[in-house]
Amino acid sequence: MPNSYFQFKQFTVWHDRCAMKVGTDSVLLGAWSSVDKPFSVLDIGTGTGLIALMIAQRSQDAAIDAIDIDREACVQATENIERSSFKDRIRIFHRSFQEYTTEKKYSLILSNPPYFSDSMKSPDKKRNTARHNDSLPLKQLIEHAITMLSDDGKIALVLPVSSSGEIDFILATHRLHTVRRTEVVSIEGLKPKRFLIELSGKAPPGYTPLMDRLVLTTHEHKRTPQYNSLTKDFYL
């Protein structure tokens, strides 16, 4: 029977009541996203609250709003955050992203969004909502996020490689720019199945996006030095 919690260095994440458990994609996004200045943050589809907690650990100046459409996820995220030392800087809101409105402008908007569209659905409605993009298509997510983004703000996402064409079309349509993109390879030698991407509405003249690749494990199923370096402040 799998553990009902996941222990990180500075906090514990319980996930027994969440449709989506602690997973590599969220850990990668929380560790990879830019936190290079004091900022306000929005975590879309927070689930257990993991990404919000990771950003709070990485930046002492971050004030974080985290939302989720699932009530049980919000309850569990609230409990995880209340048990942490970051509880004064993270607020949880139970609502869909489409219904979320605020006058605030965010410097960083993050999401590990639902991305399955054509795959077979499970009998678990909550898991379907967390995994399938019926409830939050990528186009809607980015278009709504743009309205809340500060002038020099960034949107950070983790997506399947199959979304590459769609994200390129959305960027061209809304005049967004790729700041960074990291292809994620699960096991060395295989093709990437995921990528991390950071978007911005502003780009300096003549800028070149940072493009690289992250390999997670060796053929012997050991974490690579690259993966260890990225997540060393979190994994035990």
Side-chain angles (χ1 to χ4, degrees), residues 35 37-43 51-53 55-66 86-93 100 104-110:
V35 291
K37 60 182 178 180
F39 58 99
S40 57
V41 181
L42 177 63
D43 175 20
I51 292 175
L53 286 163
I55 297 299
Q57 177 182 321
R58 293 180 60 204
S59 173
Q60 295 181 356
D61 299 310
I64 303 161
D65 294 334
F86 312 113
K87 60 184 179 182
D88 294 335
R89 295 192 285 118
I90 304 173
R91 301 187 304 168
I92 301 293
F93 297 92
Y100 182 73
K104 185 183 296 185
K105 295 295 183 181
Y106 293 101
S107 302
L108 178 63
I109 298 177
L110 309 105

Side-chain angles (χ1 to χ4, degrees), residues 113-162:
Y115 49 71
F116 289 114
S117 55
D118 299 319
S119 58
M120 186 177 296
K121 294 186 176 181
S122 78
D124 188 331
K125 291 183 179 179
K126 289 185 177 181
R127 188 167 174 82
N128 286 335
T129 299
R131 290 168 59 86
H132 292 259
N133 66 9
D134 303 38
S135 60
L136 185 58
L138 183 58
K139 183 173 181 289
Q140 283 187 21
L141 187 156
I142 293 177
E143 287 177 347
H144 194 34
I146 291 170
T147 67
M148 304 178 191
L149 200 63
S150 65
D151 288 343
D152 58 350
K154 296 173 183 176
I155 301 170
L157 307 167
V158 54
L159 297 168
V161 167
S162 58

Side-chain angles (χ1 to χ4, degrees), residues 171-182:
L171 297 187
T173 303
H174 295 284
R175 297 184 180 180
L176 291 169
H177 306 276
T178 299
V179 179
R180 290 195 296 156
R181 176 166 169 155
T182 297

Side-chain angles (χ1 to χ4, degrees), residues 48-102:
T48 61
L50 171 59
I51 292 175
L53 286 163
M54 292 180 73
I55 297 299
Q57 177 182 321
R58 293 180 60 204
S59 173
Q60 295 181 356
D61 299 310
I64 303 161
D65 294 334
I67 66 173
D68 203 287
I69 194 172
D70 183 76
R71 182 179 297 278
E72 282 295 302
C74 289
V75 171
Q76 186 139 68
T78 298
E79 292 174 352
N80 287 331
I81 288 157
E82 285 297 315
R83 294 187 183 108
S84 78
S85 60
F86 312 113
K87 60 184 179 182
D88 294 335
R89 295 192 285 118
I90 304 173
R91 301 187 304 168
I92 301 293
F93 297 92
H94 172 225
R95 66 197 62 172
S96 70
F97 183 48
Q98 292 93 330
E99 296 172 337
Y100 182 73
T101 58
T102 179

